[in-house]
Structure formats: structure tokens, C-alpha cells
Amino acid sequence: MKTSEESICSNGIISASSRKSKEGEESLLTAPFPNPFPELIPSTVSSLVSDCLLPWTKGAATQVIKVYNEDNTSRAVEVPTDITARDICQLFVMKNHCIDDHSWTLFEHLSHLGIERTIEDHESVMEVLSGWGMDTDSRLYFRKNYAKYEFFNKPLDFFPDHMVSLSSETNGIMNHSQLIQTFLNSSTCPEIHGHLHAKEQGRKSWKKFYFVLRRSGLYFSNKGTSKEPRHLQFIAEFSDSDVYTLLSAKKIHGAPTDYGFCVKSTKCGSPRDLKLLCADDEQTRTCWVTAMRLFKYGLQLYQNFIQPHQKQKASPMRSISENSLVAMDFSGHKSRVIENPSEALSVAVEEGLSWRRKSCHRLSSHGSPSTSQSPMSNIALHMAQPWFHSKLSRDEAHRLITQQGLIDGVFLLRDSQSNPKTFVLSLCHTQRIKHFQILPVDDEGDLFYSLDDGHTRFTDLIQLVEFYQLNRGVLPCKLKHHCARITL
């Protein structure tokens, strides 16, 4: 789309040119969806307008922004000035033909401060950009974040009992939905408390204090673990502040651990204005950061969580060609439409297995005739899979999984750096990343792969992944979410 004026700033972030689109329309997405908290959530959700899915609103001004991928490649796009983070994610999902599993996320990355945060789906991207200085290296990143709303599904995993205090009327006993309602309901007073390391103002040293997080803000106690008002000192409130994670807490900020986070005012961009904090482990940091997000946005976060499911019900964004796809049977003299869903699924599975057998046969024909399946076919089958990351180091795998969400079942496969003939499965469980070696097993000339010293064997890595997606086996949990990279 051409504009009269179009330029990109020297720091590679954003430049703007305003103009009006000639045509557009608005679409209100209000499809019904089962609401587990009817007393908290209204029956309708405000509409989202995406330039790739629905026409822009009539007369909307536009602006050029630049979005980066994990490999630091970037793409400049022209978008309406009222576009939200979710709209931009949907734009790149469509442009890159990705599967929209609602985990794609826009991140605000402030390199000069060494901090990063998730931009909430409802946030105005232009408001975020307006807080950036022209001489700073600030970027928007587009990548997956499986943990973005996982606390709605498994809140007890995010809020340990010893860190949460609830109102007396709950008697301290509640299920997961009641716990979330306590955070979303403004009339209740949940509290997060525990020890954190804090960087002293104007000094390089860090000191441990007892912190308390309430709806009114973040406090620390100047006398042990006392919560008496005279002992609590105010640190920050969140109406005009955001919570960020520290990218290299030890290296950049001299923190005692790498589980750092900070509170930053939207009006200040100096390192001296950051409230730097550090937890002793990942679960503690996740609890504090998640609670701060809930206290800041409340019901809006839950609306963000359920909105994609409401859109799926309405589904105004599916194309005519997608809606007209049907399963066909060409095995007889006449073709027929398969109307039975179970039969259609069975045919699809059989087609996939048939394609795999044919692919293996074609590839093995280039090798030894006596070998039923050559190593070449094994390699060819998994190289194109989105969960396979080839020559990724252990540290890079750890970083990629951390970026895409430390929840149970996030995984990737990669080549082993120590043994070129083997592969490694990197898997997240209980917010920790574990690595499992996949060994080749030779059985009378046939090559198999195994995670358990040959007790369970697979002819290729695809079969291995599919098995452990359905069965835990020797792993601590099933494979659930694969780490994916795309090129913008």
C-alpha cells in the first residue's frame, strides 16, 4: 500500500505517515461462549479490527511499524493507528500461514534497559510506541508465548499456597476457579507475599526484603516480615506502571540470580527509575509477575483469554474456500462425499500413513536394496518438522523454551552437540527444562530411535514425537507445545 510520505527511523523501529483508507467497515464479534464466571464477565466483548482479517475502519489513519522475529529479521507493515497487539499477531499469522493456536504474542523489548514484557492483547500498540525514546534500541518482537494465559487453566501451579493470602471469608480453601475469581473480583483482597532481592537506589548492591503485593500497590517491610502499616513502605502501584522481566539479571544488573523482574513507570525511561527485583527461583518470579498483571488489568485479561474462542464460534474470518472443503472418497468407480466425521478422520489418518510409507520407500530406494529403511529417510522425514531445530545448542534451546513459555509440555528436538549421531529432546516440566538423549538402535541392519535404551523403538523421530504426545512413557509429562520459529 503506497503512501505519500514513508520513512523508517534510523534505529529501525518506527516511522509514521498518515493517510485515510477509501473503504472499510466494522464488524462486531459477539458470538456466544460458555462463561465459567458469569457474574464477572459481561456477555459481549468489544470488537477487534484487523487489517488482514477484516477491512479497516472507514477513515482510519495509518502508520508504519517494524516487527522483529527471534532471529532478528524484521518486517515493516502499515497498520491503522488504533491497532491492538492481537490484531498485529493475527496479521502475521495470516501472512505467514501459521496455525493460530492463540499463543502468538507481541513483546516490547527494550535493549538499552535489558528488559522485556508481554504486550497484552488489548493494548494499543501506538500507545506503547509513544513511550519510546527516539535514540533508544526498542523493538517489537513476534513469537509464541504458551504461558500467556496458562494461569487461567492451572492457577494453582502459578500461585503457591505459601505465597498467597486470601480474605477470611474463603477460609483459605478454594478450587482453581475460585482462586481466579478472587483476583478478578475487585471486592476481594488477595495478597502475595514473600522475600525478594531488591537493588538499593543508587547502589550496585542487592538486599533481601519481605515484600507484600496488594491491590493498592507493592510494599516492603522494614522490620522483618511484619505487615503492620507503620512497617510497610510503598514501592510502586500499577495504574501507570508495567512489569518487565530482566533479560540478563546477573550480567547486566549484577543480580544474585537470573530470575529478575522490574516495575517501570510508563512515563520514565531511565535505568535509574526502574524498581529492580529478583526472586530465588522461576516459580516465585512467575507468581509475582502474574499477580501484578492481574492486579493491573483484572477482568480485561480474562476477556483477552476467552475472546479467541468466541471468535471461533462466530468464525467470520474463514474464507469461502476453507468453508467449502469436504472429505472425498475416490476409491470406487464414482467419487462420493464422506459425510460421517469419524469416517472422514479415519480416511485422513490412513492417507497420512500411506504418504509416509510411500516417502520412506522412495527415499530408501536410493540406498541399499537390502535395507528396509535407510538413515537418509529418517533424516528427511523430521528435518521439515516445526519442532526440529537441527544445530541448536543446549543454551539456545533453553533460551528458546524460556521465551516461548515455561509450562509443562513445551518441547523441541535438536541435534546432539556432544554426539553427532544422536538427537536430544528438550522438555519443560514444573518450570524447569530437562534434556533427554535420543539414541539410535541398530537391529539386524534396521535403524530405530529410542528414549529408553531400546525398550520402546521408533522408525523415525516423527513416530517418536507422536507417541510421546499421547503417552508420557519415561518422560515427566506428555509433549504438548512445540517451540516454533518462523521467518517474517
Side-chain angles (χ1 to χ4, degrees), residues 429-449:
H429 180 246
T430 62
Q431 297 183 336
R432 296 179 181 178
I433 300 172
K434 302 178 181 180
H435 306 274
F436 303 88
Q437 196 166 46
I438 302 172
L439 299 174
V441 178
D442 192 313
D443 185 3
E444 298 181 356
D446 291 333
L447 182 65
F448 299 93
Y449 294 100

Side-chain angles (χ1 to χ4, degrees), residues 77 85 99 243 248 258 329 471:
V77 291
I99 297 176
V243 58
S248 298
D258 268 325
D329 177 15
N471 308 275

Side-chain angles (χ1 to χ4, degrees), residues 297-322:
Y297 295 109
L299 291 178
Q300 182 62 62
L301 280 190
Y302 186 68
Q303 291 176 346
N304 294 349
F305 169 60
I306 67 172
Q307 193 163 33
H309 305 288
Q310 292 180 326
K311 284 188 174 183
Q312 281 184 339
K313 293 290 184 179
S315 192
M317 293 162 280
R318 287 175 60 90
S319 67
I320 295 175
S321 60
E322 287 176 317

Side-chain angles (χ1 to χ4, degrees), residues 196-259:
L196 291 171
H197 303 272
K199 189 171 185 179
E200 298 186 83
Q201 194 71 23
R203 298 183 181 181
K204 293 184 179 180
S205 60
W206 291 71
K207 193 172 181 180
K208 205 167 190 177
F209 293 96
Y210 188 77
F211 282 81
V212 178
L213 177 64
R214 297 170 176 169
R215 291 196 186 277
S216 56
L218 179 66
Y219 304 83
F220 78 92
S221 177
N222 57 18
K223 187 177 181 179
T225 59
S226 173
K227 296 182 183 179
E228 294 184 25
R230 60 195 177 99
H231 295 146
L232 293 180
Q233 294 191 20
F234 177 79
I235 293 291
E237 58 94 23
F238 300 97
S239 62
D240 61 349
S241 300
D242 292 302
V243 58
Y244 293 75
T245 57
L246 305 184
L247 298 176
S248 298
K250 277 186 171 181
K251 183 178 180 181
I252 298 178
H253 302 283
T257 75
D258 268 325
Y259 308 112

Side-chain angles (χ1 to χ4, degrees), residues 163-179:
M163 292 184 63
V164 182
S165 294
L166 304 171
S167 57
S168 58
E169 61 188 33
T170 63
N171 298 320
I173 301 175
M174 57 174 56
N175 58 35
H176 71 279
S177 62
Q178 290 174 324
L179 176 59

Side-chain angles (χ1 to χ4, degrees), residues 414-434:
R414 56 188 175 88
D415 291 318
S416 172
Q417 298 292 302
S418 57
N419 189 345
K421 296 182 179 181
T422 65
F423 302 95
V424 177
L425 167 66
S426 299
L427 173 67
C428 179
H429 180 246
T430 62
Q431 297 183 336
R432 296 179 181 178
I433 300 172
K434 302 178 181 180

Side-chain angles (χ1 to χ4, degrees), residues 70-320:
E70 287 165 315
D71 60 1
N72 287 321
T73 59
S74 63
R75 186 166 182 173
V77 291
E78 187 179 22
V79 295
T81 54
D82 60 349
I83 197 167
T84 65
R86 170 165 292 173
D87 292 336
I88 289 182
C89 289
Q90 290 178 335
L91 167 65
F92 282 103
V93 164
M94 290 290 290
K95 286 184 176 294
N96 292 280
H97 308 288
C98 303
I99 297 176
D100 188 7
D101 56 2
H102 317 310
S103 63
W104 293 102
T105 307
L106 203 62
F107 287 84
E108 180 186 12
H109 183 99
L110 307 180
S111 298
H112 62 292
L113 298 177
I115 61 177
E116 181 181 82
R117 77 174 179 99
T118 295
I119 302 178
E120 305 297 349
D121 288 338
H122 69 278
E123 284 191 78
S124 166
V125 175
M126 298 309 162
E127 288 185 10
V128 174
L129 301 182
S130 66
W132 294 357
M134 296 299 293
D135 57 343
T136 60
D137 184 14
S138 305
R139 297 181 176 185
L140 296 176
Y141 274 88
F142 171 71
R143 65 170 181 260
K144 281 182 172 288
N145 180 14
Y146 291 111
K148 181 166 58 173
Y149 298 126
E150 186 67 11
F151 55 88
F152 285 120
N153 296 320
K154 299 180 179 179
L156 299 180
D157 292 347
F158 283 74
F159 301 106
D161 291 339
H162 68 277
M163 292 184 63
V164 182
S165 294
L166 304 171
S167 57
S168 58
E169 61 188 33
T170 63
N171 298 320
I173 301 175
M174 57 174 56
N175 58 35
H176 71 279
S177 62
Q178 290 174 324
L179 176 59
I180 287 297
Q181 285 191 54
T182 302
F183 278 98
L184 297 181
N185 194 335
S186 59
S187 64
T188 59
C189 301
E191 179 182 279
I192 304 296
H193 50 80
H195 285 93
L196 291 171
H197 303 272
K199 189 171 185 179
E200 298 186 83
Q201 194 71 23
R203 298 183 181 181
K204 293 184 179 180
S205 60
W206 291 71
K207 193 172 181 180
K208 205 167 190 177
F209 293 96
Y210 188 77
F211 282 81
V212 178
L213 177 64
R214 297 170 176 169
R215 291 196 186 277
S216 56
L218 179 66
Y219 304 83
F220 78 92
S221 177
N222 57 18
K223 187 177 181 179
T225 59
S226 173
K227 296 182 183 179
E228 294 184 25
R230 60 195 177 99
H231 295 146
L232 293 180
Q233 294 191 20
F234 177 79
I235 293 291
E237 58 94 23
F238 300 97
S239 62
D240 61 349
S241 300
D242 292 302
V243 58
Y244 293 75
T245 57
L246 305 184
L247 298 176
S248 298
K250 277 186 171 181
K251 183 178 180 181
I252 298 178
H253 302 283
T257 75
D258 268 325
Y259 308 112
F261 61 103
C262 72
V263 179
K264 174 185 171 295
S265 171
T266 54
K267 301 176 182 177
C268 303
S270 169
R272 294 174 308 207
D273 300 318
L274 301 180
K275 310 294 184 183
L276 297 173
L277 305 167
C278 181
D280 288 325
D281 53 65
E282 183 61 51
Q283 185 184 39
T284 302
R285 175 172 69 171
T286 301
C287 178
W288 285 98
V289 172
T290 303
M292 290 176 184
R293 289 175 61 202
L294 279 168
F295 280 147
K296 179 177 176 64
Y297 295 109
L299 291 178
Q300 182 62 62
L301 280 190
Y302 186 68
Q303 291 176 346
N304 294 349
F305 169 60
I306 67 172
Q307 193 163 33
H309 305 288
Q310 292 180 326
K311 284 188 174 183
Q312 281 184 339
K313 293 290 184 179
S315 192
M317 293 162 280
R318 287 175 60 90
S319 67
I320 295 175

